[in-house]
Amino acid sequence: MELRKRSLTRQIDIDNSKYKSKKQKKNFSKIKSQIEDLSGEIWFELFAYFDGQSLINSFSKLNTSIESLLNDYRLPIHLNILCSNILIPYPLNSNQIISLKIDYSHINNNQIIDISSFVRLRSLSFISINDQQLERISKYSLNNLCQISIESTCAKFIIKIISIYFPNINRMILNSMQKEFLFKTFLHHQIKISQIEKLTLNGRIKLAKLARFWSFVPNLRSFSIINGGVHQCDYWMDEYIISHQKFPSNLSFIHINICDEDMSFSNLERLISKNVRYLIISGSMADDDLDDYLSSTNWIRLMSHCSNKLYRIKLDISSYFDPSDASGLQKTLSKFRKNPFFRNTIIQSKNFLITIKGYIQPT
């Protein structure tokens, strides 16, 4: 009898629960939600995926609520300029612009875009700008500017850009359009101490010039040379400059791309700061140097020269192997794969092109 009573009580509770659930669903179905009910923070998160013009094309004139958000000072805008007629699309305003990209490809060589009104500008990107235009822009007072990207042949004048034009910039990307990065002599009073902390060079630079470069960037923390990279300056080097180079004291991240097939492992070691914590080595080396790059002894020696803060070295390197020595290739691959030091790397060969990818780290 007691068991039957408990069963009936349980069934009543289940029925009541189902009734309440149905009632709640009916109440929810009566609530009409509108797109304007989304909070401003959610809208700002959505707007972050659009540049200024795309934002206006997609969301302007939908309703007054959304249009007021587009004009909100808190909304950061990224704007692209492709012609000499700079026009901020309504309802945006210049105080919202924090990132600006200007393509000078179709702009007169003697003309510059006046960006002095963009007081909140933090990031600036130029394409096909010439040196005269860049010099004139550098005279603008942009106190919040912290990052510059330049994709132009004038980017090869690296010292002028870093130490004269924009010495107060923290982060910089320079793409020299496959031109060699050059060092030009300037008067001492023209050069200011660069505040740059993160620098990416897209192009080629000679080993001796890179050794000279460190003295101009004492605050550098991160350095990358990619899509071109470091080469040895034919078959001679300025031994004195390289042997007396002084790395920035806080340089902890380095990405070196080797673009010259005569870059020996011993010269690669000379490119590495003792304070480095993260190191990336990419590019190609000569088959004569392959054994040195496959030697765990050499990599252990390189690591020992660095501080105990070195976390890992990422490898993405390649080299051609002598096509007439197929058996030697197999021995090389087998020896590398059996070496426990390289357990976190993969070595492959296709048409006698050897590629090594992965990472190594101190034990």
Side-chain angles (χ1 to χ4, degrees):
M1 188 71 175
E2 183 66 26
L3 184 62
R4 184 182 177 190
K5 184 177 180 181
R6 288 180 182 176
S7 178
L8 288 172
T9 303
R10 188 180 297 110
Q11 184 62 43
I12 290 172
D13 290 340
I14 292 172
D15 291 342
N16 287 337
S17 178
K18 288 182 179 180
Y19 174 76
K20 289 180 180 178
S21 178
K22 288 181 180 180
K23 188 175 181 181
Q24 285 178 345
K25 286 182 180 180
K26 284 184 178 181
N27 291 337
F28 285 140
S29 65
K30 293 179 180 180
I31 299 175
K32 292 184 178 180
S33 60
Q34 295 181 337
I35 196 169
E36 292 89 342
D37 296 330
L38 293 175
S39 67
E41 288 74 16
I42 294 178
W43 278 108
F44 288 163
E45 288 286 336
L46 177 62
F47 292 160
Y49 292 92
F50 297 81
D51 65 79
Q53 190 60 59
S54 299
L55 194 61
I56 297 304
N57 293 342
S58 303
F59 296 99
S60 68
K61 299 181 180 179
L62 289 181
N63 56 54
T64 55
S65 177
I66 294 178
E67 191 143 317
S68 65
L69 288 174
L70 293 175
N71 188 249
D72 195 307
Y73 177 82
R74 297 171 298 170
L75 176 63
I77 298 296
H78 307 271
L79 189 63
N80 297 323
I81 299 176
L82 305 177
C83 63
S84 58
N85 183 23
I86 179 169
L87 182 64
I88 302 175
Y90 179 84
L92 305 181
N93 61 77
S94 61
N95 289 334
Q96 295 175 282
I97 311 298
I98 65 163
S99 174
L100 191 61
K101 182 177 181 180
I102 306 177
D103 188 344
Y104 276 87
S105 301
H106 305 290
I107 298 176
N108 189 290
N109 289 339
N110 298 320
Q111 186 176 0
I112 66 167
I113 304 297
D114 186 354
I115 59 174
S116 58
S117 61
F118 302 125
V119 294
R120 291 182 63 199
L121 196 63
R122 297 182 57 83
S123 176
L124 193 53
S125 179
F126 299 114
I127 298 176
S128 300
I129 192 172
N130 62 42
D131 187 60
Q132 292 75 23
Q133 292 167 326
L134 196 61
E135 181 180 13
R136 291 168 64 186
I137 287 175
S138 70
K139 299 184 185 304
Y140 287 125
S141 180
L142 300 169
N143 297 327
N144 291 311
L145 190 64
C146 59
Q147 176 172 308
I148 284 183
S149 173
I150 302 173
E151 185 178 335
S152 169
T153 55
C154 76
K156 65 183 179 182
F157 301 114
I158 181 173
I159 300 302
K160 182 190 291 187
I161 294 173
I162 289 176
S163 299
I164 298 178
Y165 289 170
F166 304 103
N168 296 319
I169 299 300
N170 297 121
R171 299 185 298 275
M172 194 175 293
I173 301 173
L174 300 179
N175 185 341
S176 62
M177 307 294 288
Q178 301 181 342
K179 297 293 184 180
E180 182 92 20
F181 285 104
L182 302 177
F183 279 54
K184 185 179 178 181
T185 303
F186 296 95
L187 297 176
H188 183 73
H189 73 273
Q190 293 179 289
I191 297 177
K192 299 178 182 178
I193 297 177
S194 173
Q195 301 302 314
I196 192 166
E197 296 181 359
K198 183 177 182 180
L199 174 64
T200 299
L201 300 181
N202 190 333
R204 290 167 56 91
I205 190 169
K206 295 177 181 177
L207 179 58
K209 282 187 168 63
L210 185 58
R212 291 174 54 200
F213 174 67
W214 303 127
S215 62
F216 293 93
V217 285
N219 299 295
L220 196 64
R221 295 176 178 270
S222 172
F223 175 76
S224 300
I225 172 77
I226 59 174
N227 296 334
V230 183
H231 64 106
Q232 263 187 211
C233 186
D234 297 325
Y235 293 97
W236 63 272
M237 298 188 310
D238 192 326
E239 289 290 339
Y240 179 82
I241 291 177
I242 295 172
S243 59
H244 287 78
Q245 65 180 323
K246 186 177 181 181
F247 291 98
S249 59
N250 294 318
L251 184 58
S252 60
F253 174 89
I254 300 178
H255 179 181
I256 297 291
N257 190 74
I258 305 167
C259 69
D260 199 358
E261 292 191 346
D262 62 356
M263 177 66 73
S264 65
F265 192 91
S266 60
N267 282 328
L268 171 68
E269 289 182 89
R270 304 167 97 177
L271 292 170
I272 310 306
S273 164
K274 291 182 178 180
N275 295 323
V276 67
R277 298 184 63 183
Y278 301 93
L279 177 61
I280 300 176
I281 305 295
S282 59
S284 61
M285 61 279 187
D287 55 356
D288 293 341
D289 296 317
L290 180 59
D291 286 343
D292 288 338
Y293 281 85
L294 298 183
S295 167
S296 57
T297 302
N298 287 344
W299 287 107
I300 292 171
R301 184 182 66 245
L302 185 152
M303 291 177 177
S304 68
H305 292 164
C306 301
S307 70
N308 56 9
K309 294 181 179 179
L310 177 62
Y311 176 59
R312 66 170 50 174
I313 301 176
K314 182 180 178 181
L315 301 178
D316 187 359
I317 53 180
S318 62
S319 175
Y320 277 99
F321 199 88
D322 185 359
S324 64
D325 189 10
S327 61
L329 172 61
Q330 294 306 315
K331 289 179 181 178
T332 298
L333 297 176
S334 176
K335 181 180 178 181
F336 183 90
R337 287 166 179 159
K338 291 179 180 178
N339 191 333
F341 179 78
F342 296 110
R343 61 186 176 277
N344 295 311
T345 63
I346 297 174
I347 186 169
Q348 295 178 324
S349 174
K350 184 177 182 181
N351 298 327
F352 291 90
L353 175 65
I354 292 178
T355 59
I356 303 166
K357 295 185 179 182
Y359 67 89
I360 54 179
Q361 57 190 151
T363 54

